Amino acid sequence: MIFFKPSEGWPSDVADYLGTEIPETWQRVAVKVHFGRSKRRRAGVLPSWVAPTVAMLEKRGCSVGVVDTNTLYGGERHTTDAHLAVAHKHGYPRAAILDGAAHELAPGISVPSDVLGYDGIVHFAHVTGHQVVGYGGALKGVGMGLAHRSTKLWVHHGGVPVHKPSACTACGRCVEVCAHGALSTDGISKDCVMCAACVGECAAVSFGWGSTVEVARRLAVAALRIDDALPIWHVAVGMDVTRLCDCMGDAQDEPLGSVGVWVGEDALEVDNAAMRGCWPLGGRHYSKERWSAVVRCASGLRRNT
Ligand code: SF4
Ligand code: SF4
């Protein structure tokens, strides 16, 4: 793991370093980013941060896709077309959305199957605060950001969607979405396989947040399983650090400052360093207690595997 200090903006030697470390066998490379929210001025991960690495990879002859996954919850990043519109608005004209069927990497932990179309992943994780797990970085970027919807649902809530009868108009639309016959206008039955296809289709089918400690534990499990199963280089971007995550509407337009960029293959190691480096900027906005729950769990899992 290595740290790069900013020098009048983005440290240009990040791409040089990745160029020496990424194996020649990587011919198809996914550059994982966060395209941000359309109503804000800019993306979560700026195109100018990513461009030198994409150029380096393309110069080597790699085929590069700049990617993200759709969100679990409804809204502009829930469907591929709308998500691509956000990406285009924020300067990513060649963006791609990973939204394939669930491919299980470890028991209960899945990624969209189209992830497997790449030989390796360069993961740009913007350092932010986070309203539930206290801090966003490399672990959150893979445990939630690269996970299949079913795993996102498990991380957030434990797996079963919530049907809110008071908000249901019995239109029947969600019944068509469920391929397992588990949804009716009366609610969700025990036949639910927790695929999460219905979540976000309608405000009456959603997910509840689990306890923050349990979400932290599940995030750590999902992140490490994905990180261990896939070839990933992490770039934790402690530049224009924000107080809330890039999914939030008001998070990106008032950055708290910049510290630098951490690059490494181990999401836990990269995040530990980035957290220590960026914590003074986050101050009261960041919850050390919640973040510690993620790190404690991830560290325990690493020791036991
Ligand atoms: S939950 Fe939503 S989509 Fe399903 S029947 Fe009720 S209103 Fe329609
Ligand atoms: S999670 Fe999947 S199986 Fe369960 S109710 Fe929703 S669509 Fe049906």
Side-chain angles (χ1 to χ4, degrees):
M1 207 256 321
I2 183 166
F3 173 67
F4 296 91
K5 240 185 151 160
S7 54
E8 296 180 19
W10 181 258
S12 57
D13 37 1
V14 168
D16 297 338
Y17 175 72
L18 285 168
T20 63
E21 294 295 327
I22 288 176
E24 294 290 340
T25 51
W26 288 22
Q27 284 303 302
R28 295 161 301 168
V29 182
V31 174
K32 160 77 172 76
V33 303
H34 191 306
F35 296 123
R37 291 281 299 272
S38 66
K39 63 182 176 181
R40 308 317 303 179
R41 286 197 305 267
R42 55 188 228 170
V45 171
L46 299 189
S48 59
W49 298 343
V50 171
T53 296
V54 172
M56 176 275 294
L57 291 166
E58 289 185 334
K59 199 171 167 193
R60 280 170 51 161
C62 299
S63 161
V64 181
V66 182
V67 305
D68 197 4
T69 62
N70 285 331
T71 56
L72 175 63
Y73 46 83
E76 63 185 9
R77 293 185 301 123
H78 181 69
T79 60
T80 295
D81 285 350
H83 199 168
L84 283 175
V86 175
H88 297 165
K89 181 182 179 214
H90 285 321
Y92 287 102
R94 294 189 293 147
I97 305 299
L98 303 172
D99 196 26
H103 176 88
E104 200 170 57
L105 296 174
I109 306 297
S110 300
V111 292
S113 56
D114 27 3
V115 171
L116 306 178
Y118 295 94
D119 302 315
I121 299 163
V122 182
H123 172 213
F124 281 77
H126 188 205
V127 176
T128 69
H130 191 267
Q131 46 282 30
V132 178
V133 292
Y135 169 91
L139 287 167
K140 191 183 84 61
V142 289
M144 287 190 197
L146 202 52
H148 183 262
R149 292 160 59 88
S150 55
T151 297
K152 292 179 203 257
L153 180 61
W154 177 77
V155 169
H156 284 89
H157 183 59
V160 182
V162 178
H163 178 257
K164 295 178 190 154
S166 59
C168 177
T169 61
C171 74
R173 189 160 46 87
C174 64
V175 179
E176 294 168 20
V177 171
C178 179
H180 304 274
L183 249 176
S184 73
T185 52
D186 293 331
I188 295 165
S189 78
K190 62 178 174 33
D191 294 329
C192 173
V193 299
M194 306 175 191
C195 70
C198 59
V199 178
E201 287 298 317
C202 161
V205 183
S206 63
F207 61 93
W209 289 88
S211 81
T212 53
V213 171
E214 183 58 13
V215 173
R217 187 189 73 78
R218 290 175 189 221
L219 173 66
V221 171
L224 285 196
R225 295 295 179 250
I226 293 171
D227 197 36
D228 289 346
L230 298 176
I232 308 178
W233 273 89
H234 300 279
V235 181
V237 183
M239 307 277 290
D240 293 344
V241 169
T242 51
R243 66 190 171 84
L244 292 175
C245 76
D246 294 323
C247 305
M248 299 300 286
D250 65 349
Q252 298 152 27
D253 289 346
E254 294 173 21
L256 302 167
S258 296
V259 181
V261 178
W262 293 261
V263 180
E265 285 184 283
D266 185 312
L268 176 58
E269 189 185 34
V270 166
D271 264 7
N272 263 328
M275 178 185 69
R276 281 196 300 274
C278 294
W279 209 269
L281 279 181
R284 65 187 172 81
H285 298 304
Y286 289 10
S287 166
K288 201 165 194 168
E289 185 190 357
R290 293 182 197 173
W291 169 248
S292 296
V294 180
V295 169
R296 271 200 312 275
C297 178
S299 302
L301 284 168
R302 269 279 148 75
R303 277 196 301 275
N304 294 331
T305 50

